[in-house]
């Protein structure tokens, strides 16, 4: 990777801008010079060996730079990041430069072998792995300390010199994608492979999950409709619906794992080796020796972190939970007040007023969720986790616990303390529908509208009537610089998670929830797609092999819903009537059924294999081949040694 | 691994016999010649490059052969099987011949660097990987078909030409081990590291688990004694005991994972790469192409196997379960009869007679378990699983389900149908104690006694008065040939599993069970040690990193015991008295407590890390180093290519 790279073409004639780097206004000349030099320097000299060009607009140079790389450099980078691509024999293999000829669609002059998202991911990886050598600080900024091995880009980001790095949109490709994704009204699957090519695996997997989940809810919705239409209230029909729901939710979660394996195998991420995780950008500590790498880098005592978690974060979360319950009690007071008002002066207005407390409460819940989200992010960041994965897990745990209680506490209270099924149904419907409307609005329509307005103003000011594709590069970059940042799939999954809760926790009381969920998800696909394509800056592709901790979260929800549904059925008057003599028998029967259902769930999860058989075969084939290759390599190495010892 | 091995010394002067091969009487000369030639042949010619010598006794050559290997051959073999040894810097690393100097205690003349068990494991591995080249059959036996790549030893075994392969005992070492293990009466830990050196990791891990489990039961036993002595029957004390038991059982199972990681890290097996699994010896099918390896080998349709499992094995298991329940009902008839008899003619004899049905039933259960075991083995073998691991999983599942029902069905029936706590206590005690006595007897004392008698006869016949260590090699081999085969740790774990069931399922009814379990396990350690050292042929060492499916089995048992204990407590008259007005409240409270306990269990299992922090650090360090090494290797490879391209 050193000498052999000296012949890399740094020919700028076919420079294709891939990534934009925006430096702060007034960044010192010497810093810029040093930084661009490090980016362009040869690998052998510790550089990134990329191409970089300042963006020249009408107003001159604007501290914005375009980064690209030669085709060869990208191929070598693909090897470094461990990309997995399809071979000519249809198997998936880790790409190496030396075996490049065996890959499908590879040709030395085919610059589309790597997708643009992959190229941008490679450049991001190379930039982040540009490390300080002997620099003690960033030239020109003595307060921005460096130590050997520290990622330069991360330090530039944390010290505010680097404003942002983002990948450029490809106007042509985006237009094509938009058209096939949501351009025409059609019934059919999303172009997941195209989404993956353009936005990367994490986002494509989210849309895959959203689509799968919507399809999976359809049977529930279809079975749920007649319950509502004919107002079925029979005992056996309810039990059947709930039982079907509970087992169905296990099946869909298990089957998703298989579909996920199929998708990520096709995309190569199922086989990608986990890269060694570097400290996350915000991590700080005193310089010490990392026991794992043996390198000098900031270390932070684990005990201190534990203290922060258990003495500050945990009490804070508990306080928030208490506050959420307090708000809930206020809601019940309001509800009571509305009911009293309705009783006193009965009118159309008062009937409408009955729904007002629920709607207000739903709005308050959404607001509290969002405020808490910021607090949780701040706290988790303050806990100073070394790895991004650990940070994410702590954040997700905090957010999930709060959101779960915040959204469902009132429903639990109505169901199991007030025993008011009518109110439960009404409350559930109001909460679900209000939160869906709010989400759709806050997530995509609002930003879209804001951005439209901004664009219109921009255009007015410049008096130009160009369409998107006609924009010059400089105009495109400047426009994208102003777009919002997509903060990852967290909120999208969280929304689905809460929706799953509304649908499954009390499914036997309100079978129509699944119908609303399906309707919401269909528009959600469109609005999320719109958001990705129109509202936000293009995000960097993130290879991923599964939906991670969300799988666990959904499975936990499905276990909790077994418990709640069994209790709800046990409480229904129809079931009560079946055990006229003894309430004890009723409770015992319900408990028995619940345990049986849980047992069946666990057995089903155990019996259904996580990966389809053909994927399993392909994986073992690869494992076998790599073992064989290792043997061959050892053998070749020994032969070589032998050969050398003979000839000397 | 080919040319470079040509210099291996095949000098027979310091031949150390390690493994014994016994061929059938009357094996054809040409077969023996071919087989020994293949064993001695150079690796380059497809042989195993081991040393083999016929055993010469007073009666001449007896078709028994001793296999050994040169020191260098063993070191290269250690690399092939992927042994992990300790380095000079106290880290554990995969042994390679080229890096041999960096390992602790390595010296070219130190023949104890590899333990004898490791050497024997290497030889076994090499023998099993001795594969047919172009032979269509075993010379002299046209019915014993071969195809390229088929393991010769496995074919020889299945066609009955090879009677057995077993590793030799090391009389000196064994004497030392016996002394430190159970030679003196002492309180203290077992010499697990010595056991591991002599018998390998699987057996050492079993003894480690047995010891750990015994220590872990002591708190339960200590807390249980006063309940029995003072006949405590208070509600809160029972609840406390049961709650403690339930949480304690979760803790001990979680902590075991950590201890297991510490042990197997020290032994190197935690880091050992999984070898590619070959088809198990009994697997048969028509020749086809294996989709994984691409080699020609027998394949067997998965659908056929599924049909066998679901249409034959499953019904058979259900039939056995039904039969077991039928026998249980007969036991209850007997019990009733004994009770009637006792009522009619009350006497000391009749009081004694009360225990007879339970004892008979316990004996019958043991017999049924053993018979079923054979049936299960036959069926699972007939299901024709390709891999040993799949075979084992199906066998364990079959055996566990039956044994669980067979042992505990009567107790469940007494507890939850008859509601007879007195009978439950009596039945539990009788079953537990009888099965323990039977097991101890059948497992070690009986074979020991048989073997003693056999030895005495042998010695009488030969009129020699030699002690064990004075025996000549030939006498030793002949004696060991006649010893029983140790069939693995399956039965030992199963016994512990059932014991865990007796202790935890009904712990709140019979707190003394833990005391009996502790007492039994202390003698079990001694009798199992005796069995390993005295009764059985030495088994081959089997590297393993954990107790596998047994961990899951114990955890499942611990979940079931939460349910049973909660119900038992709910049924006790003291608890009943706390809810005088409403039985419903009682049942609901019990159900609530049960769910809380289960939730706590799952959270505890989630929160307690499976590996101690320092082991985790060491593992990530190794992972990091191997990633770095890979990078280095790629770099070196590229430099080499570059170097070559310049010089040509």
């Amino acid at each position: 990777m050193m000498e052999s790279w000296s012949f890399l073409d740094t020919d700028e004639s076919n420079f294709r801008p891939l990534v934009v780097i925006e430096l702060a206004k007034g960044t010192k000349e010497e810093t810029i010079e040093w930084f661009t030099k490090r980016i362009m320097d040869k690998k052998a000299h510790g550089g990134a060996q990329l191409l970089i060009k300042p963006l020249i607009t009408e107003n001159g140079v604007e501290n914005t730079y375009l980064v690209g790389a030669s085709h060869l450099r990208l191929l070598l980078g693909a090897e470094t990041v461990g990309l997995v691509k399809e071979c000519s024999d249809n198997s998936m293999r880790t790409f190496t430069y030396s075996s490049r000829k065996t890959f499908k669609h590879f040709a030395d002059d085919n610059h589309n072998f790597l997708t643009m998202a992959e190229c941008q991911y490679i450049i991001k990886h190379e930039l982040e792995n540009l490390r300080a050598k002997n620099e003690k600080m960033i030239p020109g900024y003595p307060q921005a300390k460096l130590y050997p091995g520290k990622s330069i880009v991360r330090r530039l980001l944390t010290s505010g010199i680097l404003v942002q790095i983002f990948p450029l949109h490809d106007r042509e490709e985006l237009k094509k994608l938009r058209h096939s994704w949501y351009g025409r009204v059609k019934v059919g699957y999303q172009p997941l492979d195209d989404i993956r090519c353009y936005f990367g695996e994490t986002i494509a997997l989210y849309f895959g999950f959203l689509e799968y989940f919507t399809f999976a809810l359809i049977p529930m919705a279809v079975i749920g409709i007649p319950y509502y239409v004919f107002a079925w209230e029979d005992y056996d029909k309810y039990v059947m619906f709930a039982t079907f729901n509970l087992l169905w939710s296990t099946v869909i979660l298990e089957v998703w794992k298989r579909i996920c394996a199929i998708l990520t195998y096709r995309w190569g991420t199922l086989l990608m080796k986990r890269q060694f995780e570097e400290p996350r950008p915000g991590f700080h500590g005193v310089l010490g020796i990392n026991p794992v790498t043996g390198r000098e880098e900031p270390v932070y005592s684990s005990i201190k972190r534990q203290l922060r978690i258990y003495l500050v974060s945990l009490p804070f979360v508990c306080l928030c939970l208490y506050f959420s319950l307090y708000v809930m009690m206020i809601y019940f007071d309001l509800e009571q007040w509305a009911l009293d008002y309705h009783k006193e002066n009965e009118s159309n207005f008062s009937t409408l007023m009955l729904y007002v407390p629920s709607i207000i409460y739903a709005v308050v819940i959404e607001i509290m969720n969002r405020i808490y989200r910021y607090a949780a992010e701040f706290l988790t960041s303050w806990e100073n986790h070394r790895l991004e994965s650990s940070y994410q897990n702590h954040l997700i745990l905090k957010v999930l616990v709060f959101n779960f209680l915040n959204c469902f506490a009132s429903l639990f209270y109505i169901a199991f303390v007030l025993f008011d099924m009518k109110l439960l149904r009404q409350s559930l419907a109001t909460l679900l529908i209000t939160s869906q409307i709010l989400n759709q609005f806050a997530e995509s329509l609002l930003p879209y509208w804001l951005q439209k307005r901004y664009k219109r103003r921009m255009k007015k000011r410049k008096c130009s009537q160009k369409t998107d594709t006609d924009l010059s590069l400089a105009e495109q970059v400047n426009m994208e610089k102003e777009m919002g940042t997509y903060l990852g799939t967290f909120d999208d999954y969280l929304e689905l998670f809460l929706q799953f809760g509304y649908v499954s926790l009390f499914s036997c009381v309100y079978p129509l929830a699944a119908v609303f969920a399906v309707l919401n998800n269909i528009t959600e696909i469109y609005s999320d797609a719109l958001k990705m394509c129109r509202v936000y800056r293009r995000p960097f592709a993130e290879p991923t092999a599964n939906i991670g901790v969300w799988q666990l979260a959904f499975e936990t929800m499905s276990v909790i819903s077994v418990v709640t549904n069994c209790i709800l059925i046990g409480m229904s008057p129809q079931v009560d009537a079946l055990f006229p003599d003894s309430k004890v028998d009723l409770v015992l029967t319900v408990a028995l059924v619940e345990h049986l259902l849980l047992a069946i769930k666990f057995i089903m999860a155990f019996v259904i294999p996580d990966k389809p058989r053909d994927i399993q075969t392909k994986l073992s084939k690869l494992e076998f081949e790599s073992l064989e290759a290792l043997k061959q390599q050892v053998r070749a190495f020994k032969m070589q040694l032998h050969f050398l010892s003979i000839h000397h």
Side-chain angles (χ1 to χ4, degrees), chain A:
Chain A
M1 243 189 239
M2 299 167 76
E3 272 74 353
S4 60
W5 285 16
S6 55
F7 54 84
L8 290 185
D9 58 333
T10 34
D11 170 25
E12 297 195 12
S13 63
N14 51 11
F15 174 82
R16 184 195 184 198
L18 288 167
V19 172
V20 178
I21 291 182
E22 187 189 357
L23 296 179
K25 288 223 165 74
T27 304
K28 291 184 183 146
E29 261 318 306
E30 62 171 321
T31 314
I32 296 176
E33 204 169 290
W34 166 78
F35 186 43
T36 51
K37 186 174 172 304
R38 287 300 309 268
I39 290 178
M40 290 198 289
D41 246 2
K42 295 224 161 60
K43 265 274 172 187
H45 304 147
Q49 209 158 349
L50 301 171
L51 309 174
I52 185 162
K53 268 170 105 175
L55 180 75
I56 295 152
T57 60
E58 301 144 26
N59 319 327
V61 178
E62 271 191 347
N63 272 359
T64 302
Y65 294 84
L66 299 171
V67 182
S70 71
H71 183 51
L72 181 57
R73 177 71 190 85
L74 288 172
L75 289 178
L76 290 167
E79 177 170 348
T80 313
V81 299
L83 277 198
V84 173
K85 302 284 282 181
E86 193 174 1
C87 282
S88 313
D89 62 347
N90 294 328
S91 64
M92 304 297 297
R93 268 159 229 277
T94 308
F95 178 80
T96 61
Y97 185 69
S98 50
S99 66
R100 64 193 180 281
K101 304 275 186 210
T102 60
F103 286 85
K104 212 174 194 169
H105 305 307
F106 183 88
D108 279 323
D109 55 348
N110 175 13
H111 288 209
N112 292 324
F113 174 67
L114 298 174
T115 66
M116 190 173 172
E118 278 168 346
C119 294
Q120 289 165 335
Y121 173 69
I122 291 165
I123 288 185
K124 178 189 167 222
H125 181 267
E126 294 294 340
L127 284 176
E128 281 186 347
N129 274 284
L130 188 60
R131 291 173 188 289
K133 289 185 293 187
N134 303 316
E135 296 99 333
K136 289 268 171 284
M137 45 155 221
I138 287 171
Y141 294 86
Q143 79 283 10
K145 296 268 184 300
L146 287 176
Y147 50 88
K150 171 73 189 176
S151 162
I152 290 172
V153 168
R154 295 197 165 191
R155 171 59 76 233
L156 285 170
L157 273 171
T158 47
S159 56
I161 304 166
L162 189 62
V163 179
Q164 59 181 349
I165 304 186
F166 63 89
L168 265 181
H169 267 302
D170 180 335
R171 295 274 138 191
E172 276 302 315
E173 278 298 312
L174 186 61
K175 205 178 160 191
K176 269 192 239 163
L177 178 65
R178 276 210 310 258
H179 182 73
S180 66
W181 200 356
Y182 63 92
R184 53 222 152 110
V185 177
K186 48 133 205 177
V187 179
Y189 300 107
Q190 299 171 87
L192 286 183
D193 290 329
D194 297 340
I195 300 172
R196 176 245 163 183
C197 280
Y198 196 85
F199 287 113
E201 289 79 14
T202 305
I203 288 166
L205 209 55
Y206 162 69
F207 281 101
F209 182 69
L210 178 56
E211 179 179 289
Y212 169 78
F213 190 63
T214 310
F215 275 109
L217 283 179
I218 287 179
M220 284 193 196
V222 168
I223 298 180
I225 290 173
Y227 281 82
Y228 188 77
V229 175
F230 305 121
W232 283 347
E233 297 273 344
D234 310 342
Y235 159 70
D236 35 332
K237 288 199 186 103
Y238 261 99
V239 170
M240 263 169 55
F241 181 69
T243 312
F244 169 76
N245 258 12
L246 298 175
L247 297 182
W248 183 242
S249 67
T250 312
V251 172
I252 61 177
L253 290 175
E254 285 301 310
V255 171
W256 165 249
K257 283 191 213 156
R258 296 165 67 93
I259 290 182
C260 182
I262 295 175
L263 285 176
T264 53
Y265 177 80
R266 197 165 72 210
W267 297 341
T269 46
L270 188 63
L271 300 168
M272 252 173 114
K273 297 264 175 341
R274 203 162 55 86
Q275 301 265 327
F276 187 78
E277 233 184 320
E278 296 291 332
R280 60 186 299 267
F283 178 68
H284 56 85
V286 287
L287 271 190
I289 302 292
N290 179 329
V292 172
T293 60
R295 289 184 194 145
E296 200 181 32
E297 62 170 52
V299 287
Y300 187 77
S301 135
S302 153
I303 295 161
K304 269 194 206 168
R305 186 178 305 123
Q306 299 287 334
L307 284 179
R308 286 184 172 192
I309 292 175
Y310 289 108
L311 296 187
V312 180
S313 296
L314 190 64
F316 176 80
V317 172
C318 292
L319 206 75
C320 288
L321 293 178
Y322 175 79
F323 181 73
S324 156
L325 293 179
Y326 189 78
V327 170
M328 183 187 86
M329 295 320 291
I330 296 177
Y331 155 64
F332 283 115
D333 287 347
L334 264 180
E335 188 78 48
Q336 193 56 49
W337 177 84
L339 215 65
D340 292 346
Y341 181 84
H342 177 66
K343 265 186 200 151
E344 276 168 33
N345 19 8
E346 208 156 324
S347 68
N348 275 346
F349 174 73
S350 75
T351 320
L352 215 68
M353 276 295 283
L354 277 179
Y355 286 92
V356 170
S358 289
I359 293 175
I360 294 178
Y361 184 52
V363 174
V364 170
I365 283 180
E366 282 299 315
I367 295 172
M368 275 163 63
N369 278 351
R370 266 151 220 275
I371 295 176
Y372 177 82
R373 180 66 202 283
Y374 288 109
E377 262 171 27
F378 174 79
L379 267 182
T380 318
S381 171
W382 176 76
E383 281 163 20
N384 199 13
H385 293 275
R386 190 174 164 271
L387 299 180
E388 183 64 27
S389 58
S390 154
Y391 169 85
Q392 285 293 340
N393 286 341
H394 277 86
L395 178 63
I396 290 181
L397 191 66
K398 278 195 195 70
V399 172
L400 278 192
V401 168
F402 180 80
N403 279 32
F404 183 86
L405 199 91
N406 200 23
C407 290
F408 302 126
S410 66
L411 300 177
F412 274 93
Y413 188 81
I414 296 171
F416 304 128
V417 180
L418 303 182
F419 299 115
D420 187 343
M421 290 307 127
K422 202 163 152 280
L423 183 61
L424 177 62
R425 204 171 294 179
Q426 180 209 312
S427 208
L428 181 61
T430 324
L431 281 181
L432 176 64
I433 295 167
T434 318
S435 79
Q436 285 183 349
I437 292 172
L438 281 178
N439 263 313
Q440 296 268 11
F441 182 72
E443 243 183 42
S444 28
L445 296 180
L446 184 68
Y448 181 64
W449 177 72
L450 283 175
Q451 213 232 336
K452 270 257 156 132
R453 210 180 54 169
Y454 168 80
K455 254 195 207 166
R456 230 177 299 134
R457 265 198 217 152
M458 284 270 285
K459 277 184 186 167
K460 243 184 227 162
R461 210 184 302 156
K462 298 195 181 175
C463 298
S464 74
Q465 291 295 324
K466 293 172 188 172
T467 62
D468 277 6
T469 39
D470 291 337
L471 286 172
S472 80
L473 184 63
E475 283 167 326
Q476 187 196 335
V477 170
N478 277 328
M479 211 184 68
E480 288 182 18
K481 255 162 66 175
E482 304 301 325
M483 288 169 111
T485 313
Y486 179 65
L487 292 168
T489 49
F490 188 103
D491 289 305
D492 298 318
Y493 278 117
L494 184 63
E495 199 187 325
L496 277 186
F497 171 75
L498 294 177
Q499 186 194 69
F500 184 58
Y502 284 120
V503 171
S504 62
L505 282 179
F506 308 97
S507 66
C508 62
V509 172
Y510 191 56
L512 217 57
V515 180
F516 284 109
V518 170
L519 290 179
N520 176 69
N521 286 0
I522 291 172
T523 58
E524 178 90 19
I525 290 178
Y526 284 88
S527 67
D528 278 354
L530 185 81
K531 170 175 94 172
M532 291 311 306
C533 296
R534 287 279 195 172
V535 180
Y536 290 125
R537 255 197 309 272
R538 184 175 188 170
F540 275 109
E542 227 26 91
T544 184
N546 49 54
I547 62 171
V549 74
W550 293 105
Q551 183 81 38
L552 187 68
F554 275 80
E555 278 165 12
T556 310
M557 182 70 94
S558 129
V559 168
I560 296 174
S561 65
V562 170
V563 181
T564 51
N565 278 295
C566 284
I567 302 177
L568 283 177
I569 288 180
M571 278 171 14
S572 73
Q574 293 86 2
V575 179
D576 224 26
L578 283 182
F579 297 89
D581 306 328
S582 152
K583 282 275 273 180
V584 178
D585 284 354
L586 163 69
V587 178
L588 285 177
T589 313
V590 169
L592 186 70
V593 169
E594 184 223 330
H595 282 84
L596 277 181
L597 280 174
L598 283 178
I600 294 174
K601 269 178 91 75
F602 281 109
I603 292 172
M604 262 163 56
F606 184 77
V607 167
I608 300 175
D610 284 359
K611 293 188 185 94
R613 180 176 289 275
D614 64 318
I615 301 278
Q616 260 170 351
T617 309
K618 282 171 185 163
L619 289 180
S620 4
K621 192 173 171 179
L622 282 171
E623 198 194 330
F624 171 75
E625 277 171 7
S626 81
L627 282 174
E628 287 292 299
L630 200 69
K631 274 189 206 162
Q632 291 283 348
Q633 209 177 340
V634 170
R635 210 169 291 162
F637 178 68
K638 288 206 169 134
M639 272 179 78
Q640 216 170 30
L641 283 185
H642 185 66
F643 176 82
L644 286 174
S645 61
I646 287 172
H647 286 252
H648 288 273

